[in-house]
Amino acid sequence: MAGALLVTSALMLGVYTIVETTDYGWASAHTLSFGGVALVLFLAFVARQAKAPHPLLPLRVFRPRNVSGAMGLQALMLAGMFSFQFLCVLYLQKVLGFDEIHTGLGIFPVSVAIGALSLGLAPKLIARFGPRAVVLPGLSLIAAGLAALGRVPEGGSFAVDVLPALLPLGIGFGLAMPALATLAMSAATPQDSGIASGMFNTMQQIGAAFGLPVLSTLANARTDALLGDGASTASALTGGYQLAFRIGACLVAVSLLLAAALLRSPAPAQHPGGRPRRWPCGGRSGTLAIHAVYSRHV
């Protein structure tokens, strides 16, 4: 009970601190004090889990490099990418003038690409080449898509400026997420597989919960600065969205570099006759299991 209270309070206070930087600033006493309290609460949670006889989150789960690496990289990736679902919608509506129906149709290709890749090509690629070889191009495509969104102009065209950026996002996410899930679960022990699966889902929410407020706050600050310099509303909004997308691309690029340095594809188990088994996600049941982990983002 105490552990759940500590970690929940830390996360809620952390998100509150980030959101309130719009009014108080990043270096204000308000931000530093509340951020410091959030950090202390989180460290207290970690210390309690290390000493508790029956911890809410056994820290041994994070000892395998692939488990901790895949979860951390997933959070960093979503911190950079998740903003597009919010900020891209605002760009389509407030800058390009799309209504709700056309906005939904505009974002729909991303969902199609994620679903098609996650249930089709991605499991086959992971089964053949291993998860690490799949996650790296996936992250590269996500970073490229966000970088392309970082160049959307004020008077842009959906077909020319937005759609070519959305397709790499959907394809990259459809490749990266099942590969990260495979890496995280393949390194977890049978005893900790349930906890690892739950933490994999939790890290998605943590990455999105912190990434979106940060990028949105920075976008708002950039927009306000441009408005103060006399820019038009559309130009100022576009400038704010561009900044957020570029920072998101940098976060995903950092996750790509860390993935290349930290993650390792474990050798598949051997059949009794010596022939390598396929990776667990190669079959239909494994594909559906992995898809369930991240289908909420489709």
Side-chain angles (χ1 to χ4, degrees), residues 130-159:
R132 183 179 183 274
V134 175
V135 74
L136 298 180
L139 292 173
S140 300
L141 287 170
I142 294 173
L146 288 171
L149 284 176
R151 301 179 61 188
V152 290
E154 174 186 347
S157 164
F158 175 81

Side-chain angles (χ1 to χ4, degrees), residues 92-185:
L92 293 178
Q93 292 184 340
K94 295 189 175 184
V95 178
L96 298 189
F98 281 28
D99 59 21
E100 290 79 2
I101 294 178
H102 286 89
T103 299
L105 292 174
I107 298 295
F108 186 63
V110 180
S111 302
V112 173
I114 293 175
L117 267 293
S118 63
L119 291 176
L121 182 60
K124 296 178 182 178
L125 292 176
I126 295 172
R128 181 174 180 83
F129 300 106
R132 183 179 183 274
V134 175
V135 74
L136 298 180
L139 292 173
S140 300
L141 287 170
I142 294 173
L146 288 171
L149 284 176
R151 301 179 61 188
V152 290
E154 174 186 347
S157 164
F158 175 81
V160 175
D161 301 302
V162 180
L163 183 59
L166 295 184
L167 291 178
L169 283 175
I171 295 171
F173 194 82
L175 292 173
M177 280 298 292
L180 287 172
T182 302
L183 283 165
M185 297 309 300

Side-chain angles (χ1 to χ4, degrees), residues 18-294:
I18 294 171
V19 172
E20 289 298 303
T21 56
T22 303
D23 296 327
Y24 293 95
W26 290 94
S28 66
H30 179 277
T31 299
L32 294 177
S33 59
F34 278 88
V37 173
L39 179 60
V40 169
L41 289 173
F42 180 76
L43 293 176
F45 167 75
V46 173
R48 179 170 179 80
Q49 299 311 293
K51 299 179 179 180
H54 302 289
L56 177 67
L57 177 61
L59 299 183
R60 66 175 182 272
V61 173
F62 299 101
R63 288 174 187 165
R65 175 190 292 187
N66 278 351
V67 173
S68 56
M71 291 183 184
L73 291 172
Q74 177 197 208
L76 186 60
M77 176 188 73
L78 282 170
M81 179 187 172
F82 198 75
S83 62
F84 101 90
Q85 293 181 311
F86 178 68
L87 297 176
C88 189
V89 166
L90 293 180
Y91 172 77
L92 293 178
Q93 292 184 340
K94 295 189 175 184
V95 178
L96 298 189
F98 281 28
D99 59 21
E100 290 79 2
I101 294 178
H102 286 89
T103 299
L105 292 174
I107 298 295
F108 186 63
V110 180
S111 302
V112 173
I114 293 175
L117 267 293
S118 63
L119 291 176
L121 182 60
K124 296 178 182 178
L125 292 176
I126 295 172
R128 181 174 180 83
F129 300 106
R132 183 179 183 274
V134 175
V135 74
L136 298 180
L139 292 173
S140 300
L141 287 170
I142 294 173
L146 288 171
L149 284 176
R151 301 179 61 188
V152 290
E154 174 186 347
S157 164
F158 175 81
V160 175
D161 301 302
V162 180
L163 183 59
L166 295 184
L167 291 178
L169 283 175
I171 295 171
F173 194 82
L175 292 173
M177 280 298 292
L180 287 172
T182 302
L183 283 165
M185 297 309 300
S186 66
T189 64
Q191 177 186 3
D192 295 331
S193 60
I195 297 175
S197 177
M199 277 304 302
F200 191 80
N201 281 278
T202 300
M203 293 302 290
Q204 296 180 44
Q205 310 310 315
I206 292 176
F210 280 92
L212 181 58
V214 169
L215 296 182
S216 298
T217 299
L218 294 174
N220 287 334
R222 175 62 175 166
T223 295
D224 290 342
L226 292 173
L227 288 173
D229 292 338
S232 65
T233 300
S235 178
L237 288 171
T238 302
Y241 301 149
Q242 288 175 339
L243 176 64
F245 289 136
R246 289 168 183 170
I247 295 175
C250 291
L251 291 176
V252 178
V254 170
S255 71
L256 171 62
L257 296 175
L258 292 175
L262 298 177
L263 298 181
R264 297 291 182 268
S265 282
Q270 300 287 319
H271 282 287
R275 180 168 55 89
R277 297 181 187 268
R278 291 172 63 86
W279 286 93
C281 61
R284 176 173 175 80
S285 61
T287 302
L288 293 176
I290 291 177
H291 183 262
V293 172
Y294 58 91

